[in-house]
Amino acid sequence: MQLHSRSFQDGERIPGRLAFCVPDAGSHVALSDNLNPHLTWSGAPAGTRSYALVCHDPDVPSRGDDVNQEGREVPADLPRVDFYHWLLLDIPAGQNEIAEGGHSAGVVARGKSGPGAPGGLRHGVNDYTGWFAGDAAMAGDYYGYDGPCPPWNDSLEHRYVFTVYALDVASLPVAGALTPANIMAAIDGHVLASASLTGRYTLNPRLL
């Protein structure tokens, strides 16, 4: 399988319009357009009954001691963990394209509604749900796509991996809530093929 985008090229930086946050000289970050990228795929094997689309960042700091702290920088050698930005399920086998902005346009405090998505698809909750859990103004269930907003003082430029999975089921059977862990466990047993596309993003002025 192959996965392409007109919004950004594989291995290149993701445009700010696709991000949750962009750099700001006064306050380090500002909210952005938060558009989901255009994606199109081809080469699915025979027997494909649906697709699932996942975007995750494998470069999130495993500890928050230095995150977004003035006069400090998150060290590059700090162990990193996954952060899921988008989980879209039950894409019909006859569909092979998603329009830019078709599933997200703007930041929604407390999260976009779900799990229902345009075209009868389903969105899982992304990891901003946990990130904002203690924030009275932002806490909620964040369904669908919410783009990059890495720590503005991270010494690593983050990678954002978009993966489309060709599945052998028309509707993915997820045990429990539509969390990243539950969805990825369900996907694991039904994959016929997959393809990935990686973008990069940073808010650190030293790396821009």
Side-chain angles (χ1 to χ4, degrees):
M1 287 181 67
Q2 294 183 325
L3 178 62
H4 300 284
S5 176
R6 291 197 295 267
S7 299
F8 67 94
Q9 298 298 308
D10 188 30
E12 298 299 320
R13 278 193 174 153
I14 292 172
R17 70 181 185 277
L18 307 181
F20 195 92
C21 295
V22 289
D24 182 87
S27 59
H28 296 295
V29 301
L31 296 180
S32 188
D33 297 329
N34 201 34
L35 302 175
N36 68 270
H38 165 268
L39 294 167
T40 184
W41 55 91
S42 60
T48 298
R49 300 185 62 197
S50 73
Y51 301 100
L53 175 63
V54 175
C55 172
H56 81 286
D57 170 6
D59 298 318
V60 171
S62 57
R63 293 201 322 270
D65 308 37
D66 299 309
V67 168
N68 297 337
Q69 298 295 312
E70 295 285 355
R72 295 155 74 178
E73 192 166 90
V74 179
D77 61 357
L78 181 72
R80 304 290 167 142
V81 297
D82 290 332
F83 187 104
Y84 286 86
H85 286 263
W86 195 12
L87 301 108
L88 181 60
L89 312 178
D90 302 346
I91 303 170
Q95 180 177 338
N96 71 338
E97 190 168 22
I98 292 173
E100 180 174 307
H103 286 270
S104 179
V107 172
V108 178
R110 301 186 181 277
K112 292 184 285 293
S113 62
L121 283 56
R122 286 186 294 163
H123 274 140
V125 291
N126 64 54
D127 278 330
Y128 281 106
T129 301
W131 177 257
F132 286 125
D135 186 327
M138 297 292 284
D141 290 329
Y142 282 72
Y143 282 94
Y145 176 82
D146 284 302
C149 190
W152 51 258
N153 65 336
D154 201 336
S155 57
L156 281 186
E157 187 173 45
H158 287 214
R159 295 164 294 164
Y160 296 84
V161 184
F162 293 81
T163 303
V164 62
Y165 297 92
L167 306 178
D168 62 2
V169 289
S171 182
L172 188 69
V174 181
L178 294 178
T179 63
N182 289 343
I183 288 172
M184 294 311 298
I187 285 174
D188 186 55
H190 295 283
V191 178
L192 298 175
S194 66
S196 295
L197 176 70
T198 301
R200 301 179 292 113
Y201 198 74
T202 183
L203 294 168
N204 189 335
R206 185 177 65 78
L207 301 179
L208 293 170

